Every structure is written in C-alpha cells, then in structure tokens.
Amino acid sequence: VWLRILGLMLALPMVAYRAVPLRVRIWTSLLLALLALETARVTQGSVAAQGIAVLAAAGELLIGLVAGFAVRLGLTAVDIASEVLSVQAGLSFAATYVRDPSLQSGLLGEFLGLTALALAFALDTHLVVLDILLRGFAVVPVGQWPAGWNATAIVELVAEAFRLGLVLAAPLLAVYMTFSLVQAVLGRTSPQLNLFSIGFAISVPLALLLIALLVGDMQGFLSGTLGRSVDFIRAGFDARVRP
C-alpha cells in the first residue's frame, strides 16, 4: 500500500514540487498507507505467487507513478497554451538570453500553471485518484499490473493531451498572427515607426486580456482534461488484471 501511494506522491503534480521536500512526501505517503490499510484490503498471496517480492514492490511503485503521470498529462494542455501565449506576448523575451534555472517556465507559464493546480485541488482530483488506487487493490492485488494500462492507452492519452493543448492555444495563435500581420502592414506603410516598442506596448495588454478570457473558462476545460486522465486511471482497474 505504501509503495503505491509513494509512487503517486512522487509523480502527482499537486505535490511533486520543489517546495514540497521529498522527506515530507515520503512520510505523508506512509501516514496515508497506515490510515488506508482497512480500505485497501491487500491480499498477500499474489506476492508469493510471483516469487520475487522486489519485482512486486517495484510494480506497486510504478503503478503510483503512472497514475501521477496521467494527472500530469491532464495539465499539459494548460502548459502548452501558457508557453505559446508567453512567447507570443514577448514576456519570455528575457528568457531567450538568460534562462532562470529556478523557474520551470516563463511568467505566464508559472501563473497559469499555479492556477491550474489550484483548480485541480478544488476539483478534488488528488482525492479521486487516491481513492481509485486504494480501491483498486480488490481488482489489482499486489504483484499484478492493470491490463488497461497498455502502451496503446498511454500513447492515446499523450496524444489527447497534446491535441487539447493545441486546441486551447489555437485562438491565442490566431490573435497574435493577426496582430503580427497588422504590424507587418504598418512596417511597410510607415517605415519610420518603431514597431519594436509599439509591439510590446500592445502585445502585453493583449496578453492580459487573453488571460482574463482564458481563466474564466479554465475550470470547465480542466474538468474535461483531468476527467480523461481519471478515466484512464479507472479503466486500468476496471479491466481484468495482467499477471
């Protein structure tokens, strides 16, 4: 039980942050495992059938890692859209020269990423995934692997995450491509204009307007993307197990 929860704690984006020390995640997973022993209903006979307890323990850790990775893919769409908006608005202009190693992405990426994490907490995604893993012991005992988590399902989940990210970023690209076209026309008609300074003066407020529109619909969008991740996790425990 502890290894399955530990794998989830190591990969779940809500807690897999530098601000959360590894020691805290380990002890939290141990405490949750102790509290969930009765709910999990672990059967020990499957470990003896495998013959190698180390491989069974590694499989339990991997199950938690895959579940956390699936939730991470659900947030990838927001990451793609935020990076596109940050580059197009020019707010990542300084990062092209000097990259800050303490930041995983640009300014808008950090803001929209934290907003997406807050909404994921509000949607109780972490509790739903933890409940699925604990109840999954009745279907996928220790030492067995969920048959629904095959390579095809994982590839489809990754492709779906990137497709939704491009769908979310498409309106942003359309707006800034139109703005770049207007700049190009102004550059040809009025060469004396300093389009570099004018562009930043317009693109940054435009980015703020797009963020306000994006944040308003983010809850519904995340409900769909994280719902697909939760469905992937649940499908692995609904299917018959693979020894």
Side-chain angles (χ1 to χ4, degrees):
V1 179
W2 172 63
L3 289 174
R4 189 175 292 191
I5 298 177
L6 177 61
L8 180 65
M9 288 293 176
L10 293 177
L12 194 66
M14 290 80 147
V15 294
Y17 259 80
R18 296 179 182 178
V20 182
L22 180 60
R23 184 178 301 177
V24 174
R25 281 179 273 172
I26 292 175
W27 283 105
T28 302
S29 61
L30 182 59
L31 179 60
L32 290 175
L34 292 176
L35 294 175
L37 281 178
E38 295 183 359
T39 305
R41 297 179 183 177
V42 182
T43 57
Q44 299 294 338
S46 57
V47 178
Q50 290 290 327
I52 303 177
V54 176
L55 293 179
E60 290 300 300
L61 183 63
L62 186 59
I63 287 175
L65 291 174
V66 172
F69 177 72
V71 179
R72 174 69 265 178
L73 286 177
L75 300 175
T76 302
V78 179
D79 294 338
I80 295 175
S82 61
E83 288 297 327
V84 170
L85 182 58
S86 182
V87 172
Q88 295 296 323
L91 295 176
S92 296
F93 184 77
T96 58
Y97 293 95
V98 180
R99 182 71 178 179
D100 190 354
S102 61
L103 296 177
Q104 298 180 358
S105 58
L107 175 63
L108 292 182
E110 291 291 325
F111 173 74
L112 293 179
L114 292 176
T115 303
L117 287 179
L119 290 175
F121 270 114
L123 294 172
D124 292 333
T125 305
H126 56 299
L127 298 179
V128 174
V129 174
L130 183 60
D131 181 70
I132 294 174
L133 288 183
L134 294 179
R135 295 182 183 274
F137 279 103
V139 181
V140 184
V142 177
Q144 296 183 344
W145 181 259
W149 290 1
N150 49 37
T152 303
I154 295 176
V155 170
E156 290 178 355
L157 183 63
V158 174
E160 182 70 12
F162 279 95
R163 185 186 70 84
L164 292 175
L166 293 178
V167 168
L168 185 61
L172 309 179
L173 286 174
V175 170
Y176 275 100
M177 287 181 65
T178 304
F179 176 67
S180 298
L181 181 61
V182 173
Q183 278 189 303
V185 173
L186 290 176
R188 296 293 293 178
T189 56
S190 301
Q192 67 275 12
L193 290 177
N194 189 355
L195 295 180
F196 188 79
S197 59
I198 296 176
F200 275 112
I202 299 177
S203 62
V204 173
L206 183 61
L208 297 178
L209 176 62
L210 292 176
I211 289 174
L213 297 176
L214 185 63
V215 170
D217 296 332
M218 188 177 291
Q219 181 176 357
F221 183 80
L222 278 179
S223 298
T225 57
L226 292 177
R228 289 177 174 84
S229 300
V230 172
D231 290 340
F232 167 79
I233 298 172
R234 185 178 287 111
F237 295 98
D238 288 342
R240 297 181 62 182
V241 297
R242 176 180 301 165

